[in-house]
Amino acid sequence: PHVSSRPVLDVLRRHRRPVAIGCGSSMVHQTCEALVPVAIGLAVDRAVSTGDVRAVVVSVVGVLVLFTLLTSAGTYAFLVIDRAAFEEAHSLRTAVARAVLRDPAVLRGRQVGDALSVATSDTRHAAEALGLVSFLASGCFGMVVAAVVLLRIDVALGLGLLVAVPVLVLGLQALAPRLEARVHDRQRSAGLAAAVAADLLAGLRPLRGFGGVPEAVRRYHLASTLSRRAAVGAAGATSVVVGVSTLATGAVLVATAGVAGAFVARGRLDVGEFVTVVGMASFLADPVRNVSACVQQLAVSRAGARRVATLLAPPQRQRAEVRPHPGHPRALPGEVLGVVTTDTATADALTQALEGVGGAGGTLVEPAQTHLLGETLADALASGPVPAGRGVALEAALEAAAAPTELGTALADGGANLSGGQRQRIGLARALAADREVLVLRDPTTALDAVTEDRVAAGVRRLRAGHGTTVLITSSPLLLSRCDRVVLLTGAGRHASGTHAELLADPDYAAAVAR
């Protein structure tokens, strides 16, 4: 995938056949729908008013055939387009997930929530372009059919409707920004309330410890109240838009019926044409509204497709932006290398630089924050196929990480039913079981007590020494004391190398590892 100047066109090109079929079927559906008032008008003129039984039967059969064709074409169009849209959305989501898993460096400069939004909302919006193009084409074609029918009946009346209905619909669209703003406020406040609730639940134990539950509840009550008010405001705005739209559409229909009735009284129109004009006035608002909505939604699809395409930019373009620290260490084969930094920015820069090569099959960068996926502990430990010629037993990895060994243990959302230390040890066991040629661990023991941390330090050393290159970005003396070599990196660009014991004489190093 590449960043295209017209990403929506890329989506359409990938599904040329379904789009063509969908547009054709939608046009047939819209044409049949436009011809319904014509068919009813003809039935009134040639069957109902004359009382001819044969004409009545022919009219009924004709209307049934028209509705059958209308329904079949519309159903087939929806089937083809929806299938293509679902396939495209799934393909884009899979491509985004593959890009992130293959090379975490593509997330540089993005928050996790933003990447999740791209993988869910933006991929869906991009795929919706397939249906929008179909509806746009059918809406335009429906307006053309309606224009031809109306102008053939009466030029003046036809022109009046063709001007009045679009003006009405576009005028109603002026209310859309108000509704959109209210809906945006509702979504934002609901998201804020959910975030506050999630934070409260995640920190419930420490909140109880220092008596902060009442304050947390007060803040959630405030966020919930704002969310409720925004929801009520959005519902009110929706009601206003729907009410005004209904009244305006009804007014146009009443006015059309009045003018057409006057024309019938003067003999300018017959009864069948009167029925056709009134029916066409009711129909015409639908394609005009569809065209207007599709034009607006296509802008959303273009924005979503652009965000997806940007995230799927070639990895080398993403990696080229990395500016490594001049003292970035070079680990030797089979070495356990410790890295100590004097500031978080340097550690982040080093992690990003290593993530830039993390797409290689033999390298794994395990971040400090652990994410557990799956319903059980066994699911969370699954790390995919192990590289050929390598392999570490899961039991050995769990033992080295001092992690829980009950593989059938159920996991709540992201391991929420486990302590922070348990989640961290499970993530470490998963990384060890993956048994990559190069394993990078960022602060793997920050949530552990000293006794458990010492067990983990010994386990990692035992499992990885001489078996693969291991880089530990940490300030833990227990981990660093078991490294073959330790490198100190400072924010000023200075670096030093030696064993943990040797580097303790360095003031910067001693300050960094002091606890």
Side-chain angles (χ1 to χ4, degrees):
H2 63 283
V3 182
S4 169
S5 59
R6 297 180 178 180
V8 168
L9 292 181
D10 291 341
V11 173
L12 298 178
R13 276 194 290 266
R14 284 194 290 269
H15 299 274
R16 291 186 293 270
R17 186 172 180 274
V19 169
I21 294 175
C23 286
S25 299
S26 295
M27 288 179 180
V28 172
H29 167 81
Q30 196 80 94
T31 300
C32 293
E33 198 168 14
L35 292 178
V36 168
V38 178
I40 295 175
L42 290 175
V44 170
D45 272 346
R46 301 183 181 181
V48 177
S49 60
T50 62
D52 186 342
V53 176
R54 181 180 177 184
V56 170
V57 173
V58 171
S59 298
V60 170
V61 172
V63 170
L64 288 176
V65 170
L66 186 61
F67 270 96
T68 300
L69 184 58
L70 180 155
T71 304
S72 300
T75 301
Y76 187 62
F78 274 107
L79 175 65
V80 172
I81 290 297
D82 279 2
R83 177 184 296 169
F86 278 120
E87 290 177 352
E88 176 65 13
H90 174 71
S91 176
L92 291 175
R93 282 193 296 270
T94 303
V96 169
R98 185 184 300 114
V100 172
L101 293 174
R102 182 183 61 234
D103 183 6
V106 301
L107 294 180
R108 185 173 299 111
R110 291 179 180 268
Q111 295 181 340
V112 175
D114 182 50
L116 181 62
S117 176
V118 173
T120 54
S121 298
D122 290 319
T123 54
R124 174 172 54 83
H125 289 316
E128 286 174 351
L130 300 172
L132 293 173
V133 169
S134 174
F135 295 145
L136 182 63
S138 63
C140 293
F141 196 75
M143 287 191 290
V144 171
V145 173
V148 171
V149 171
L150 287 172
L151 292 175
R152 284 179 62 86
I153 293 176
D154 188 278
V155 175
L157 187 58
L159 288 175
L161 275 176
L162 292 175
V163 171
V165 173
V167 169
L168 167 67
V169 173
L170 294 177
L172 291 174
Q173 293 298 321
L175 298 175
R178 179 190 178 192
L179 177 59
E180 182 179 351
R182 293 294 181 91
V183 172
H184 174 75
D185 289 342
R186 181 191 65 187
Q187 297 295 95
R188 181 176 58 81
S189 58
L192 176 61
V196 171
D199 289 344
L200 190 155
L201 291 175
L204 190 57
R205 187 175 300 173
L207 283 172
R208 285 174 174 171
F210 66 82
V213 172
E215 174 61 18
V217 172
R218 186 191 68 80
R219 293 186 182 186
Y220 176 72
H221 178 71
L222 177 60
S224 180
T225 301
L226 292 175
S227 178
R228 176 178 58 81
R229 290 175 180 171
V232 172
T238 301
S239 300
V240 170
V241 171
V242 172
V244 172
S245 176
T246 302
L247 288 174
T249 302
V252 170
L253 288 176
V254 169
T256 300
V259 174
F263 282 4
V264 171
R266 286 186 291 179
R268 187 168 173 175
L269 299 177
D270 56 35
V271 177
E273 290 173 332
F274 169 81
V275 172
T276 300
V277 169
V278 174
M280 196 63 72
S282 177
F283 159 79
L284 193 57
D286 188 52
V288 173
R289 191 180 299 111
N290 284 345
V291 170
S292 177
C294 286
V295 170
Q296 294 180 17
Q297 287 301 314
L298 275 174
V300 177
S301 292
R302 284 195 299 269
R306 168 66 62 180
R307 280 167 54 81
V308 172
T310 301
L311 191 143
L312 295 179
Q316 58 268 25
R317 186 175 304 174
Q318 300 275 354
R319 295 187 190 125
E321 298 172 359
V322 177
R323 295 293 182 267
H325 187 286
H328 279 174
R330 292 185 179 276
L332 302 176
E335 182 182 36
V336 177
L337 174 68
V339 179
V340 176
T341 64
T342 57
D343 60 278
T344 304
T346 303
D348 291 340
L350 174 59
T351 304
Q352 289 180 359
L354 293 172
E355 285 177 344
V357 297
T363 302
L364 171 64
V365 179
E366 180 72 10
Q369 186 176 7
T370 301
H371 300 279
L372 301 180
L373 305 176
E375 299 179 354
T376 66
L377 179 57
D379 295 334
L381 290 169
S383 57
V386 176
R390 304 186 64 84
V392 168
L394 184 57
E395 293 78 7
L398 289 169
E399 181 182 356
T405 57
E406 293 295 330
L407 299 181
T409 301
L411 294 183
D413 184 23
N417 57 325
L418 303 176
S419 68
Q422 287 175 319
R423 289 196 299 272
Q424 192 171 56
R425 283 177 282 161
I426 291 171
L428 176 58
R430 179 179 58 193
L432 293 172
D435 194 26
R436 296 297 181 87
E437 182 180 347
V438 178
L439 176 62
V440 181
L441 301 175
R442 171 81 181 269
D443 294 323
T445 59
T446 51
L448 308 183
D449 60 78
V451 175
T452 306
E453 184 178 20
D454 187 59
R455 288 179 54 197
V456 170
V460 172
R461 170 72 189 184
R462 181 178 65 253
L463 198 63
R464 292 291 300 178
H467 189 63
T469 300
T470 308
V471 179
L472 298 173
I473 305 174
T474 181
S475 61
S476 165
L478 292 172
L479 286 172
L480 294 169
S481 64
R482 288 177 170 84
C483 292
D484 298 310
R485 183 165 55 100
V486 179
V487 174
L488 169 67
L489 301 177
T490 69
R494 188 177 75 84
H495 63 280
S497 177
T499 65
H500 171 64
E502 293 170 346
L503 289 176
L504 283 174
D506 188 306
D508 290 335
Y509 183 84
V513 301
R515 292 191 171 185

